Amino acid sequence: MSNPSVPISFTSTKTQLGLTRSRGWIESLLLPNAERLAAVSFFACLPHPLLLPARQWLQGSGIGVAAQDVAAATDEVTGAVTASLLAEVGCSHVMVGHAERRGAFGETDQLVARKAAAASRAGLTAVVCVGETDTLPASDAAAVASVQARAVVAAVPPERPLLFLYEPGWAIGGTEAADPVHAGHVLHALRDVTAGHHARFVYGGAVAPGVYTRLRGEGDWDGVALGRAAQDPLLLAEVLDELTTPE
Ligand SMILES: O=C(CO)COP(=O)(O)O
Protein backbone atom coordinates (compact mmCIF):
# COMPACT_ATOMS: atom_id res chain seq x y z
CA MET A 1 0.00 0.00 0.00
CA SER A 2 1.01 3.64 -0.46
CA ASN A 3 3.04 5.48 2.17
CA PRO A 4 0.50 6.49 4.85
CA SER A 5 2.15 9.87 5.43
CA VAL A 6 1.66 10.92 1.79
CA PRO A 7 -1.79 11.79 0.41
CA ILE A 8 -3.39 9.52 -2.12
CA SER A 9 -5.59 10.45 -5.07
CA PHE A 10 -7.31 8.82 -8.00
CA THR A 11 -10.00 9.44 -10.53
CA SER A 12 -12.78 7.59 -12.29
CA THR A 13 -13.87 8.53 -15.78
CA LYS A 14 -17.13 6.56 -15.39
CA THR A 15 -18.48 6.24 -18.97
CA GLN A 16 -17.45 9.78 -19.86
CA LEU A 17 -14.57 9.03 -22.24
CA GLY A 18 -14.32 6.47 -25.00
CA LEU A 19 -11.13 4.98 -26.39
CA THR A 20 -9.94 8.00 -28.39
CA ARG A 21 -10.87 10.61 -25.80
CA SER A 22 -9.32 8.56 -23.01
CA ARG A 23 -6.04 8.48 -24.88
CA GLY A 24 -6.25 12.23 -25.52
CA TRP A 25 -6.93 12.92 -21.84
CA ILE A 26 -4.09 10.69 -20.67
CA GLU A 27 -1.61 12.23 -23.12
CA SER A 28 -2.64 15.86 -22.64
CA LEU A 29 -3.40 15.93 -18.91
CA LEU A 30 -2.07 12.95 -17.00
CA LEU A 31 1.32 12.42 -18.61
CA PRO A 32 2.39 16.10 -18.35
CA ASN A 33 1.57 15.91 -14.62
CA ALA A 34 2.96 12.40 -14.17
CA GLU A 35 5.59 13.26 -11.58
CA ARG A 36 3.16 14.91 -9.19
CA LEU A 37 0.45 12.35 -9.88
CA ALA A 38 2.85 9.52 -9.09
CA ALA A 39 3.81 11.33 -5.88
CA VAL A 40 0.21 10.87 -4.67
CA SER A 41 0.05 7.24 -5.90
CA PHE A 42 -2.50 8.33 -8.51
CA PHE A 43 -4.49 5.78 -10.48
CA ALA A 44 -7.23 6.08 -13.07
CA CYS A 45 -10.35 3.90 -12.73
CA LEU A 46 -11.39 3.09 -16.27
CA PRO A 47 -13.98 1.00 -18.10
CA HIS A 48 -12.76 -2.57 -18.54
CA PRO A 49 -11.95 -2.43 -22.30
CA LEU A 50 -9.65 0.56 -21.73
CA LEU A 51 -7.48 -1.03 -19.07
CA LEU A 52 -4.98 -2.71 -21.35
CA PRO A 53 -4.43 0.19 -23.78
CA ALA A 54 -4.28 2.66 -20.89
CA ARG A 55 -1.61 0.58 -19.23
CA GLN A 56 0.49 0.98 -22.34
CA TRP A 57 -0.17 4.72 -22.66
CA LEU A 58 0.80 5.17 -19.00
CA GLN A 59 3.80 2.84 -19.07
CA GLY A 60 6.73 4.19 -17.07
CA SER A 61 4.70 7.17 -15.79
CA GLY A 62 4.13 5.89 -12.25
CA ILE A 63 0.36 6.38 -12.75
CA GLY A 64 -1.70 3.24 -12.19
CA VAL A 65 -4.78 1.82 -13.82
CA ALA A 66 -7.76 0.45 -11.93
CA ALA A 67 -11.22 -0.85 -12.69
CA GLN A 68 -14.58 0.66 -11.81
CA ASP A 69 -16.24 -2.63 -10.89
CA VAL A 70 -15.57 -6.35 -10.52
CA ALA A 71 -17.60 -9.54 -10.35
CA ALA A 72 -18.25 -10.99 -6.92
CA ALA A 73 -18.08 -14.49 -8.34
CA THR A 74 -14.81 -16.22 -9.05
CA ASP A 75 -16.33 -19.18 -10.88
CA GLU A 76 -17.54 -19.13 -14.47
CA VAL A 77 -20.11 -16.38 -15.17
CA THR A 78 -20.62 -15.31 -18.76
CA GLY A 79 -19.86 -11.64 -19.29
CA ALA A 80 -18.36 -11.07 -15.85
CA VAL A 81 -14.90 -9.64 -15.26
CA THR A 82 -13.14 -11.39 -12.43
CA ALA A 83 -10.71 -9.88 -9.97
CA SER A 84 -7.99 -12.29 -11.06
CA LEU A 85 -8.31 -11.06 -14.65
CA LEU A 86 -8.10 -7.44 -13.48
CA ALA A 87 -4.94 -8.30 -11.56
CA GLU A 88 -3.50 -10.07 -14.58
CA VAL A 89 -4.00 -7.03 -16.84
CA GLY A 90 -2.20 -4.81 -14.33
CA CYS A 91 -4.84 -3.23 -12.11
CA SER A 92 -3.76 -2.29 -8.62
CA HIS A 93 -7.22 -1.29 -7.37
CA VAL A 94 -10.88 -1.77 -8.18
CA MET A 95 -13.84 0.34 -7.10
CA VAL A 96 -16.74 -1.47 -5.47
CA GLY A 97 -20.14 -0.10 -4.53
CA HIS A 98 -20.02 3.27 -6.27
CA ALA A 99 -23.20 5.22 -5.44
CA GLU A 100 -24.26 5.09 -9.09
CA ARG A 101 -24.02 1.29 -9.12
CA ARG A 102 -25.78 0.91 -5.78
CA GLY A 103 -28.55 3.10 -7.23
CA ALA A 104 -28.77 1.86 -10.83
CA PHE A 105 -28.18 -1.84 -10.20
CA GLY A 106 -29.48 -2.20 -6.65
CA GLU A 107 -26.09 -3.39 -5.37
CA THR A 108 -26.49 -4.34 -1.73
CA ASP A 109 -23.94 -4.01 1.06
CA GLN A 110 -23.54 -7.81 0.98
CA LEU A 111 -22.83 -7.86 -2.76
CA VAL A 112 -20.35 -4.99 -2.40
CA ALA A 113 -18.65 -6.89 0.44
CA ARG A 114 -18.36 -10.01 -1.75
CA LYS A 115 -16.82 -7.91 -4.52
CA ALA A 116 -14.33 -6.40 -2.06
CA ALA A 117 -13.45 -9.89 -0.81
CA ALA A 118 -12.96 -11.18 -4.36
CA ALA A 119 -10.71 -8.20 -5.15
CA SER A 120 -8.73 -8.73 -2.01
CA ARG A 121 -8.21 -12.45 -2.68
CA ALA A 122 -6.82 -11.55 -6.11
CA GLY A 123 -4.31 -9.15 -4.55
CA LEU A 124 -6.14 -5.98 -5.54
CA THR A 125 -7.00 -3.14 -3.18
CA ALA A 126 -10.74 -2.57 -3.12
CA VAL A 127 -11.81 1.06 -3.27
CA VAL A 128 -14.94 0.76 -1.16
CA CYS A 129 -17.42 3.52 -1.93
CA VAL A 130 -19.68 4.46 0.96
CA GLY A 131 -21.98 7.34 1.78
CA GLU A 132 -25.54 8.52 2.08
CA THR A 133 -27.65 8.99 -1.07
CA ASP A 134 -29.64 12.09 -0.12
CA THR A 135 -28.64 14.84 2.29
CA LEU A 136 -28.83 13.68 5.90
CA PRO A 137 -27.69 15.01 9.27
CA ALA A 138 -24.08 14.06 9.97
CA SER A 139 -24.94 11.40 12.56
CA ASP A 140 -27.33 9.67 10.14
CA ALA A 141 -24.79 9.89 7.30
CA ALA A 142 -22.18 8.36 9.60
CA ALA A 143 -24.59 5.55 10.46
CA VAL A 144 -25.23 4.77 6.77
CA ALA A 145 -21.52 4.70 5.93
CA SER A 146 -20.80 2.57 9.01
CA VAL A 147 -23.29 -0.11 7.98
CA GLN A 148 -21.83 -0.18 4.47
CA ALA A 149 -18.26 -0.37 5.79
CA ARG A 150 -19.08 -2.99 8.42
CA ALA A 151 -20.24 -5.44 5.73
CA VAL A 152 -16.89 -5.07 3.96
CA VAL A 153 -14.65 -5.38 7.01
CA ALA A 154 -16.54 -8.56 7.94
CA ALA A 155 -15.64 -10.04 4.53
CA VAL A 156 -12.01 -8.96 4.09
CA PRO A 157 -9.14 -10.15 6.33
CA PRO A 158 -7.77 -7.31 8.48
CA GLU A 159 -4.27 -7.49 7.02
CA ARG A 160 -5.52 -6.83 3.49
CA PRO A 161 -5.47 -3.15 2.44
CA LEU A 162 -8.75 -1.34 1.87
CA LEU A 163 -9.28 2.17 0.57
CA PHE A 164 -12.57 3.71 1.69
CA LEU A 165 -14.06 6.41 -0.49
CA TYR A 166 -16.66 8.49 1.33
CA GLU A 167 -18.65 9.89 -1.54
CA PRO A 168 -22.13 11.15 -0.66
CA GLY A 169 -24.50 10.55 -3.56
CA TRP A 170 -25.90 14.07 -3.38
CA ALA A 171 -22.44 15.60 -3.90
CA ILE A 172 -21.54 13.57 -7.00
CA GLY A 173 -21.72 15.80 -10.06
CA GLY A 174 -22.83 18.73 -7.89
CA THR A 175 -21.27 22.07 -7.12
CA GLU A 176 -20.59 21.68 -3.39
CA ALA A 177 -18.49 19.08 -1.66
CA ALA A 178 -19.62 17.86 1.75
CA ASP A 179 -19.15 20.24 4.64
CA PRO A 180 -15.83 19.39 6.34
CA VAL A 181 -17.44 18.96 9.77
CA HIS A 182 -20.08 16.64 8.31
CA ALA A 183 -17.42 14.64 6.45
CA GLY A 184 -15.29 14.57 9.60
CA HIS A 185 -18.13 12.86 11.51
CA VAL A 186 -18.38 10.20 8.82
CA LEU A 187 -14.61 9.71 8.82
CA HIS A 188 -14.59 9.27 12.57
CA ALA A 189 -17.31 6.60 12.33
CA LEU A 190 -15.49 4.83 9.50
CA ARG A 191 -12.25 4.76 11.48
CA ASP A 192 -14.12 3.21 14.39
CA VAL A 193 -15.79 0.53 12.28
CA THR A 194 -12.56 -0.39 10.51
CA ALA A 195 -10.29 -0.33 13.58
CA GLY A 196 -7.70 -3.09 13.34
CA HIS A 197 -7.93 -3.12 9.54
CA HIS A 198 -5.36 -1.81 7.12
CA ALA A 199 -7.56 1.01 5.82
CA ARG A 200 -7.13 4.47 4.33
CA PHE A 201 -9.84 7.06 3.75
CA VAL A 202 -10.46 9.53 0.95
CA TYR A 203 -13.29 11.91 0.22
CA GLY A 204 -15.00 12.24 -3.19
CA GLY A 205 -17.88 14.22 -4.66
CA ALA A 206 -17.51 17.67 -6.26
CA VAL A 207 -13.82 17.83 -5.32
CA ALA A 208 -12.30 21.12 -6.46
CA PRO A 209 -9.30 23.18 -5.33
CA GLY A 210 -9.51 23.94 -1.61
CA VAL A 211 -11.68 20.96 -0.71
CA TYR A 212 -8.82 18.75 0.51
CA THR A 213 -7.37 21.56 2.64
CA ARG A 214 -10.75 22.32 4.20
CA LEU A 215 -11.43 18.64 4.87
CA ARG A 216 -8.04 18.23 6.54
CA GLY A 217 -9.01 21.04 8.91
CA GLU A 218 -11.70 18.75 10.37
CA GLY A 219 -10.39 15.23 9.84
CA ASP A 220 -7.37 13.13 9.14
CA TRP A 221 -8.27 12.40 5.51
CA ASP A 222 -5.72 10.49 3.45
CA GLY A 223 -6.66 12.17 0.19
CA VAL A 224 -9.35 12.97 -2.33
CA ALA A 225 -10.92 11.24 -5.33
CA LEU A 226 -11.36 13.40 -8.40
CA GLY A 227 -14.22 13.34 -10.88
CA ARG A 228 -14.54 16.31 -13.19
CA ALA A 229 -11.48 18.01 -11.68
CA ALA A 230 -9.18 15.38 -13.22
CA GLN A 231 -10.36 16.35 -16.70
CA ASP A 232 -9.75 20.11 -16.32
CA PRO A 233 -6.12 21.23 -16.64
CA LEU A 234 -6.39 24.18 -14.23
CA LEU A 235 -8.39 22.34 -11.58
CA LEU A 236 -6.11 19.31 -11.75
CA ALA A 237 -3.00 21.48 -11.40
CA GLU A 238 -4.44 23.32 -8.40
CA VAL A 239 -5.59 20.17 -6.62
CA LEU A 240 -2.16 18.62 -7.20
CA ASP A 241 -0.49 21.74 -5.75
CA GLU A 242 -2.58 21.25 -2.64
CA LEU A 243 -1.91 17.53 -2.33
CA THR A 244 1.82 17.76 -2.91
CA THR A 245 2.57 20.82 -0.76
CA PRO A 246 3.61 19.75 2.74
CA GLU A 247 1.19 21.03 5.41
O1 LIG B 1 -18.40 10.17 -8.71
C1 LIG B 1 -17.38 10.82 -8.71
C2 LIG B 1 -16.14 10.12 -9.04
O2 LIG B 1 -16.36 8.74 -9.03
C3 LIG B 1 -17.35 12.27 -8.34
O3 LIG B 1 -17.43 13.08 -9.45
P1 LIG B 1 -17.33 14.68 -9.30
O4 LIG B 1 -16.08 15.01 -8.54
O5 LIG B 1 -17.30 15.17 -10.71
O6 LIG B 1 -18.56 15.13 -8.53
Side-chain angles (χ1 to χ4, degrees):
M1 195 161 216
S2 48
N3 180 345
S5 62
V6 177
I8 187 166
S9 188
F10 59 91
T11 190
S12 165
T13 58
K14 310 180 189 245
T15 52
Q16 291 158 344
L17 307 176
L19 180 69
T20 306
R21 288 180 65 206
S22 294
R23 183 172 191 167
W25 165 67
I26 284 173
E27 290 182 350
S28 65
L29 252 85
L30 297 194
L31 292 179
N33 287 296
E35 203 173 317
R36 290 194 308 159
L37 288 166
V40 294
S41 307
F42 196 85
F43 56 90
C45 300
L46 302 171
H48 293 145
L50 301 184
L51 294 170
L52 269 181
R55 231 189 111 202
Q56 287 200 329
W57 304 329
L58 288 165
Q59 202 158 25
S61 68
I63 301 167
V65 293
Q68 297 175 2
D69 184 46
V70 65
T74 47
D75 47 359
E76 285 183 19
V77 181
T78 300
V81 176
T82 57
S84 59
L85 179 57
L86 293 178
E88 201 181 341
V89 300
C91 289
S92 54
H93 295 71
V94 58
M95 298 177 93
V96 295
H98 190 278
E100 290 156 1
R101 294 194 62 85
R102 290 182 191 262
F105 301 118
E107 293 197 355
T108 62
D109 295 345
Q110 285 63 40
L111 177 63
V112 172
R114 286 175 55 223
K115 290 183 175 199
S120 173
R121 278 195 302 274
L124 301 171
T125 300
V127 178
V128 183
C129 308
V130 296
E132 71 276 21
T133 307
D134 300 313
T135 51
L136 287 177
S139 57
D140 294 343
V144 169
S146 296
V147 169
Q148 293 168 332
R150 204 169 278 124
V152 170
V153 295
V156 175
E159 68 279 7
R160 290 292 310 150
L162 288 169
L163 182 57
F164 283 89
L165 167 59
Y166 169 51
E167 194 170 59
W170 55 263
I172 296 172
T175 51
E176 287 287 328
D179 172 78
V181 174
H182 175 102
H185 275 291
V186 176
L187 175 62
H188 189 74
L190 287 174
R191 286 199 185 275
D192 265 2
V193 167
T194 60
H197 280 253
H198 190 26
R200 296 191 78 190
F201 304 88
V202 299
Y203 170 83
V207 169
V211 167
Y212 175 68
T213 305
R214 288 195 288 277
L215 286 169
R216 288 279 299 175
E218 299 292 340
D220 191 15
W221 290 97
D222 293 304
V224 280
L226 310 181
R228 289 156 291 169
Q231 294 176 39
D232 180 306
L234 292 178
L235 297 182
L236 181 62
E238 282 187 46
V239 173
L240 281 176
D241 280 348
E242 230 178 310
L243 288 167
T244 56
T245 305
E247 288 172 20

